[in-house]
């Protein structure tokens, strides 16, 4: 565009465009490709292609805009289509409707100052030419009831970033109606002002459109004022404008030559070169007819007619003006045609010439009524009506049945040539009847057309060299059948591939205007004079009603066809229309029938495929169900395996941790104290590994439960920092807190999991940092009314890792390299668990590190803000579990089952009277539980299975010394904790069924806590149980301040010594059971419980108990049960011999 405007180097600009088009074809992308197509049409294509070829390119741009969703490109392309249709001379009403409705999906397109300006301007021009605007005055030539030019210009100036461009486009289109309706002064004013900034439109065709109509307006004023003082100056300006138009014709003159010729013709007249002006007018008309510039054609006819009138040639001027009016009407410019008819009414109504037959050219206007064309205008309306019907009228009605008899049209127009001149009485009526009989019995369209062509050639005799029939097929219009003297061929030939230019132009003319063409020599016909052929042509449209069914074409040597040939062929066309319509209908019926048959076959095949697919689908469903069942069984097996592993690992681990706590409470020297610390550290490490494996299993199975409870995120971070910084204080590391968070802000989150994430990340930083500092940074990334997004970063100055090792850090059981595990230890699950937990929280985590410099690990999480009222209501529940990591899951609002809801209130029982029953099958864990309870100042008794515990509850209740709380293990022999709790809840004794039951078990996988509560237990503790956790829970139930306990250290030392000693204990005396034994109720055999302090019982040596066969497996091995009392150190061993 720069080369076009600044250097006029159009050839180089076109080369650049072609290169760009090639690149776009290789890398098609809807957004860019669509815009490139529109820009090509707007700025370049007018130099290269005829205007009628532009529309297909812009329509492709519209398709690309719909694919890419580019609404601005869509509207601009619609505007370009409208302008192309206006330049090409399409029907003005159709253009008006297109502008009004094509862009409905866009919305209010009239306020758009790109494509909307195109649509607005083109619509108003089309309305002006139709006479729908107030075109009598120059200021309102584009205004109507829906549009005001002045208001639109104000809108453009107020809203456009560069008002000159939309204003220039609008004004350039306004030049058309200003000139055509004779507002020359206004056109000169608008055109001159627009030409000052017209180069901002670059190479848009509106650029030269403006100076074209400006030049015509200047020349029109010079004709009005021949002695204008600036005549020479204005002529030079017009010559310069013409030169600018000529420059744009270097590559192709298709779109600009008629403008240049018309300006040159007008200048030739002003300069007195009249013969040259006539030649230029004729050349310009030929150009517009060749490339279908209908609007320019009408304008040139108008200016040529006025030129003839000024030179005194009224008849030539009248005929040329009639041609102009006809073309204006053809393009729907009825307002302009009416203006021209009114202007020259004196000429068109008085100068009526005698109509004669032209032996050189005889068109349908001399044969019959063929509609309104440039060769027969409305002068027939001004002739007198005919007299009564005559024999000639009846004969004419037979030749042309569409013409009503007695109509107001003149006789010449109705009947065509004189009937007597045709020699109609000598026509071969027998051949016509044979023709009708032949075509009426044929339904095959190919054979019908072949017969018709054969009969036509026979009727024409040796005068015809070629005959053809054109019909419309699925691929478009084609010559379906053709014939020569050599024979008939039924091979179709599309009109687009027709090489004979004469045949092509005549056929297209007949199809477009539905007119009869009868030419004795096409070389002498103005419509087809651009073809070099010398031949005689008859072309007849085959019409049924208003529909064009086809065209009958006949050609021969010049001046060989007569009116008789035309009359006979016209009769043939009138008779064959129905037959062709029936044949085409029959062909469509056959196609539909074939399509239906094919559809039925396809449906049958589809049904068979569907049945096969259904069978396969059912087989696949069975297989899928089988796989699902296997998967469920595998998941169940995995869960059972994890439960067993967890239980088997936590049970001895509970003993290790509990004994280490007890050992720490004894008098130890420094070396022994170090050993005890090492035991505790190893046990805690093992517990961490177990918890990590279970967490990883839950995350892998996507069964991790996340609680959303109110928490202070900043305080959560500080708690973890203080805990770990205290533990790692000996390393001499500096811990920096950089927390820019609101101290009072509460969010909804899972405090346990956040602790776990921060613990893992901070522990890694402390582990891998020998010197320097650990910085914990927290920032608010985004905050709105309901949510807050926080990014936390842990920055250390540790050993760092390489970029190659970063990719596998978040994989399970992986570390930077094997040396890391040897040097620092760890299972490699920490970061993978952190990542999985953060993913569950809908966050993301990333890590940056440099070897030898340090590591920064960051994570970002979005929290919902907590409502303060809800947070306050949950404050109590948050402190119920001081060590949330001690339990599998913590849900303070969990409502226990109805059986457990009526438990006794421990706060109403004095602390020194509280009695606790411990059901634990592991001897070491029995000792630890009794010791923990003793340290808390409560009395307790321990039993080795659930059956003994239930029996003891009933016994002590009957004696008036009931237990108030049960610490119940889950997995025990004889009767497990679940069944024992169910029996307790079903007991009729209120002191037994309402007792408080707390599960204390090594089962710590998902669902265990819920299972315990469902069985009727009140709470849940996962092993290994720490003394502090047990104390917090019991104190919570007691809900009263703890009392001082005297000699607690001495008692703990005594218990520890007893636990570690291997001395023998005395057997306590037997106590007779006063209430029916639960062993008899459950039909099981087992040893009796052993209790300490003041009540120890066992079965009498001679007592016999019934034993069920199913329980004999429990007696296959010696069993040892111990009963521990907080008031003594008695221990009893009961073997199989005792049971016998």
């Amino acid at each position: 565009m720069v080369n076009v405007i600044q250097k006029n180097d159009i050839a180089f600009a076109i080369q650049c465009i072609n290169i760009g088009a090639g690149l776009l074809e290789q890398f098609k992308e809807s957004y860019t490709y669509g815009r490139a197509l529109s820009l090509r049409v707007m700025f370049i294509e007018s130099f290269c292609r005829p205007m009628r070829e532009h529309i297909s390119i812009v329509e492709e741009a519209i398709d690309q805009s719909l694919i890419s969703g580019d609404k601005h490109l869509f509207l601009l392309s619609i505007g370009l289509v409208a302008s192309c249709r206006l330049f090409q001379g399409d029907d003005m009403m159709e253009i008006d409707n297109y502008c009004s409705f094509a862009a409905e999906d866009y919305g209010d397109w009239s306020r758009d100052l790109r494509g909307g300006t195109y649509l607005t301007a083109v619509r108003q021009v089309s309305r002006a030419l139709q006479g729908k605007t107030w075109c009598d005055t120059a200021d309102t030539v584009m205004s109507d009831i829906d549009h005001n030019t002045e208001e639109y210009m104000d809108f453009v100036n107020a809203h456009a970033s560069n008002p000159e461009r939309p204003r220039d486009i609008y004004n350039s289109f306004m030049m058309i109606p200003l000139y055509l309706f004779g507002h020359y002064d206004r056109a000169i004013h608008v055109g001159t002002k627009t030409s000052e900034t017209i180069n901002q439109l670059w190479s848009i065709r509106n650029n030269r459109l403006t100076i074209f109509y400006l030049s015509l307006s200047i020349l029109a004023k010079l004709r009005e004022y021949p002695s204008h003082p600036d005549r020479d100056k204005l002529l030079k300006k017009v010559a310069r404008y013409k030169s600018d138009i000529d420059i744009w014709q270097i590559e192709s003159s298709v779109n600009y030559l008629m403008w240049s010729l018309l300006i040159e013709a007008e200048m030739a007249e002003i300069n007195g070169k009249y013969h040259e002006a006539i030649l230029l007018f004729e050349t310009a008309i030929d150009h517009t007819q060749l490339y279908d510039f209908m609007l320019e054609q009408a304008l040139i006819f108008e200016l040529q007619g006025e030129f003839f009138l000024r030179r005194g040639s009224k008849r030539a001027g009248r005929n040329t003006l009639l041609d102009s009016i006809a073309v204006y009407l053809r393009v729907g410019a009825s307002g302009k045609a009416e203006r021209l008819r009114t202007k020259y009414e004196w000429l068109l109504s008085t100068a009526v010439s005698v109509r004669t037959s032209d032996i050189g050219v005889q068109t349908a206007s001399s044969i019959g009524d063929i509609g309104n064309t440039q060769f027969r205008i409305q002068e027939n309306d001004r002739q007198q009506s005919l007299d009564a019907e005559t024999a000639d009228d009846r004969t004419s009605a037979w030749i042309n049945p569409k013409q009503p008899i007695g109509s107001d049209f003149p006789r010449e127009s109705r009947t065509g040539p004189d009937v007597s001149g045709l020699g109609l009485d000598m026509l071969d009526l027998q051949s016509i009847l044979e023709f009708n009989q032949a075509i009426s019995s044929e339904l095959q369209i190919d054979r019908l057309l072949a017969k018709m062509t054969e009969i036509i050639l026979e009727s024409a005799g040796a005068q015809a060299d070629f005959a053809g029939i054109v019909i419309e097929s699925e691929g478009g219009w084609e010559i379906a059948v053709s014939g020569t003297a050599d024979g008939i061929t039924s091979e179709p030939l599309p009109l687009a591939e027709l090489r004979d230019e004469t045949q092509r132009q005549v056929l297209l003319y007949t199809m477009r205007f539905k007119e009869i063409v009868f030419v004795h020599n096409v070389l002498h016909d103005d419509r087809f004079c651009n073809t070099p052929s010398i031949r005689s042509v008859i072309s007849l449209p085959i019409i049924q009603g208003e529909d064009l069914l086809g065209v009958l074409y006949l050609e021969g040597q010049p001046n060989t066809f007569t009116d008789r040939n035309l009359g006979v062929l016209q009769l043939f066309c009138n008779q064959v229309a129905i037959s062709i319509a029936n044949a085409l209908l029959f062909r469509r019926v056959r196609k539909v029938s074939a399509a239906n048959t094919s559809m039925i076959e396809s449906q049958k095949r589809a049904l068979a495929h569907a049945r096969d697919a259904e069978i396969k689908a059912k087989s696949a469903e069975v297989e899928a169900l089988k796989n699902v069942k296997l998967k469920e069984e595998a998941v169940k097996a995995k869960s059972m395996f994890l439960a067993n592993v967890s239980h088997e690992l936590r049970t001895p681990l509970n003993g290790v941790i509990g004994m280490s706590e007890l050992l720490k409470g004894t008098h130890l020297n420094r070396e022994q104290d170090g050993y005890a610390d090492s035991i505790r550290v190893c046990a805690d490490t093992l517990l961490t590994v177990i918890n990590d494996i279970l967490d990883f299993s839950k995350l892998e199975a996507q069964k991790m439960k996340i609680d959303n409870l109110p928490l202070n995120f900043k305080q959560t971070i500080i708690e973890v920092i203080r805990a770990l910084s205290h533990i790692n204080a000996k390393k001499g590391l500096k811990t920096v807190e950089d927390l820019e968070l609101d101290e009072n802000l509460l969010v909804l989150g899972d405090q346990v999991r956040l602790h776990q994430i921060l613990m893992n990340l901070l522990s890694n930083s402390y582990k891998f940092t020998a010197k320097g500092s650990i910085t914990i940074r927290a920032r608010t990334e985004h905050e709105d009314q309901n949510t807050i997004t926080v990014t936390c970063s842990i920055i250390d100055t540790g050993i760092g890792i390489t970029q190659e090792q970063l990719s596998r850090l978040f994989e399970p059981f992986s570390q930077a390299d094997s040396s890391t595990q040897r040097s620092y230890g760890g299972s490699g699950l920490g970061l993978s668990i952190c990542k999985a937990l953060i993913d569950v929280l809908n966050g993301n985590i990333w890590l940056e590190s440099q070897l030898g410099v340090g590591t920064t690990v960051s994570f970002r999480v979005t929290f919902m803000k907590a409502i303060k009222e809800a947070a306050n209501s949950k404050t109590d529940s948050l402190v119920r579990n001081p060590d949330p990591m001690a339990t599998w899951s913590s849900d303070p609002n969990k409502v226990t089952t109805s059986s457990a809801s009526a438990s006794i209130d421990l706060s109403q029982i004095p602390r020194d009277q509280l009695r606790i029953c411990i059901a634990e099958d592991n001897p070491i864990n029995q000792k630890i539980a009794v010791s923990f309870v003793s340290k808390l100042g409560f009395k307790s008794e321990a039993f080795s299975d659930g059956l003994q515990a239930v029996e003891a509850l009933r016994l002590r209740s009957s004696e008036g010394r009931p237990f108030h709380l049960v610490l119940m293990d889950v997995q025990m022999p004889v009767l497990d904790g679940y069944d024992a709790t169910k029996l307790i809840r079903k007991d009729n004794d209120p002191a037994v069924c309402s007792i408080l039951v707390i599960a204390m078990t090594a089962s710590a996988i998902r669902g265990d806590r819920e299972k315990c509560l469902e069985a009727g237990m009140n709470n849940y503790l996962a092993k290994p149980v720490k003394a502090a956790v047990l104390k917090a829970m019991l104190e919570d139930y007691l809900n009263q301040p703890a009392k001082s306990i005297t000699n607690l250290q001495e008692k703990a030392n005594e218990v520890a010594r007893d636990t570690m000693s291997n001395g023998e204990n005395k057997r306590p005396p037997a106590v007779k059971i006063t209430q029916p034994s639960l062993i008899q109720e459950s039909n099981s055999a087992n040893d009796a419980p052993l209790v300490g302090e003041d009540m120890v019982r066992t079965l009498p040596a001679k007592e016999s108990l019934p034993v069920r066969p199913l329980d004999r497996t429990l007696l296959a091995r010696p069993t040892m049960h111990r009963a521990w009392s907080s008031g003594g150190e008695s221990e009893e061993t009961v073997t199989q011999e005792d049971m016998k």
Side-chain angles (χ1 to χ4, degrees), residues 647-704:
H647 184 273
E648 295 301 326
L649 290 177
R650 288 174 179 271
T651 298
L653 192 59
N654 184 63
V656 173
I657 294 177
M659 286 299 180
S660 65
E661 287 190 6
L662 293 175
L663 184 60
K664 287 286 289 183
T666 62
H667 293 290
L668 303 174
N669 57 34
R670 180 170 298 181
E671 183 179 5
Q672 292 171 336
D673 189 64
Y675 293 158
D677 288 337
S678 299
I679 294 173
R680 180 57 184 270
V681 169
C682 293
D684 289 339
T685 304
L686 181 58
L687 179 60
T688 301
V689 172
I690 294 173
N691 288 333
D692 285 346
I693 293 174
L694 292 176
D695 282 342
F696 178 74
S697 299
K698 287 185 291 181
L699 290 168
E700 187 181 36
Q702 298 181 352
K703 292 185 178 181
M704 174 65 75

Side-chain angles (χ1 to χ4, degrees), residues 810-837:
F810 291 106
E811 297 178 1
F813 305 104
S814 66
Q815 294 184 337
D817 53 34
S818 58
S819 62
T820 302
Q821 187 173 7
R822 291 194 301 268
S823 302
Y824 297 94
S827 62
L829 284 174
L831 284 179
S832 63
I833 291 175
C834 287
K835 184 179 185 305
L837 286 173

Side-chain angles (χ1 to χ4, degrees), residues 987-1005:
D987 199 276
N988 296 326
D989 188 351
V992 175
C993 67
S994 63
I995 195 170
L996 194 68
V997 181
I998 297 176
M1000 190 169 62
T1001 175
S1003 298
I1005 64 170

Side-chain angles (χ1 to χ4, degrees), residues 705-709 711 748-755:
K705 179 181 177 182
I706 298 298
D707 295 326
N708 280 319
L709 300 174
L711 60 91
L748 295 178
D750 193 322
Q751 189 171 18
V752 174
R753 299 307 168 191
L754 290 173
H755 269 146

Side-chain angles (χ1 to χ4, degrees), residues 254-477:
V254 173
N255 300 315
Y256 297 101
L257 179 60
M258 67 282 185
W259 289 356
S260 179
L261 291 172
L262 186 55
I263 294 174
E264 190 174 357
E266 292 282 274
M267 291 179 66
E269 181 192 2
I270 291 177
N271 292 325
K273 301 177 182 180
Y274 305 121
H275 179 70
E276 181 180 347
I278 293 174
L279 295 178
L280 290 169
F281 277 127
E282 291 297 327
T283 306
I285 291 172
D286 292 342
H287 185 84
T288 58
Q289 289 179 342
L290 178 61
Y291 295 105
D292 291 334
F293 288 106
M294 305 302 295
L295 194 59
E296 280 81 357
Q297 182 180 343
L299 174 60
I300 296 171
F301 275 133
E302 178 185 355
L303 295 179
Q304 187 185 37
E306 292 176 344
F307 167 77
F308 286 147
L309 294 178
R310 286 192 294 270
R311 304 313 305 160
S313 180
K314 291 184 180 180
R315 289 181 179 84
R318 174 184 176 276
N319 291 333
T320 308
L321 289 174
L322 288 175
D323 290 343
S324 175
I325 292 173
V327 179
Y328 276 131
L329 290 174
R330 187 178 304 166
V331 299
S334 56
K336 170 61 181 176
E338 184 64 27
R339 177 67 65 94
L340 195 59
R341 186 183 292 115
T342 302
K343 181 178 180 181
Y344 294 103
E345 183 178 6
W346 59 273
L347 176 67
L348 301 177
S349 61
T350 58
V352 179
S353 61
V354 178
R355 296 180 59 87
T356 60
S357 296
D358 185 355
I359 63 172
V361 178
Q362 192 168 5
T363 65
S365 61
S366 63
I367 302 299
D369 183 23
I370 53 151
N372 182 18
T373 71
Q374 63 180 6
F375 304 101
R376 188 186 63 79
I377 312 301
Q378 296 177 353
E379 70 271 16
N380 292 327
D381 296 339
R382 312 183 193 283
Q383 297 184 7
Q384 297 180 355
S385 62
L386 298 178
D387 297 330
E389 181 183 359
T390 64
D392 292 345
D393 293 331
R394 288 191 292 273
T395 305
S396 298
W398 180 51
I399 294 175
N400 190 0
K402 294 193 299 179
Q403 176 63 51
I405 298 176
S407 66
D408 294 336
F409 287 93
R411 182 187 305 274
E412 179 184 357
S413 176
R414 289 189 294 110
T415 64
D418 189 4
V419 176
S420 61
L422 283 172
L424 188 58
D425 55 335
M426 300 179 63
L427 290 175
D428 191 356
L429 300 180
Q430 183 178 357
S431 64
I432 296 176
L433 293 175
E434 291 176 354
F435 174 80
N436 290 337
Q437 183 179 1
I439 64 175
S440 62
S441 61
E442 186 60 63
L443 286 177
Q444 293 290 340
I445 186 67
D446 297 336
R447 291 199 291 266
L448 172 65
L449 297 179
K451 285 183 179 181
M452 182 177 174
T453 305
E454 183 180 357
I455 294 173
I456 290 171
L457 286 174
E458 289 177 356
S459 67
Q463 298 171 342
D465 296 333
F466 175 84
I469 299 178
V470 178
I471 62 172
E472 186 177 14
S473 65
E474 294 180 354
W477 291 93

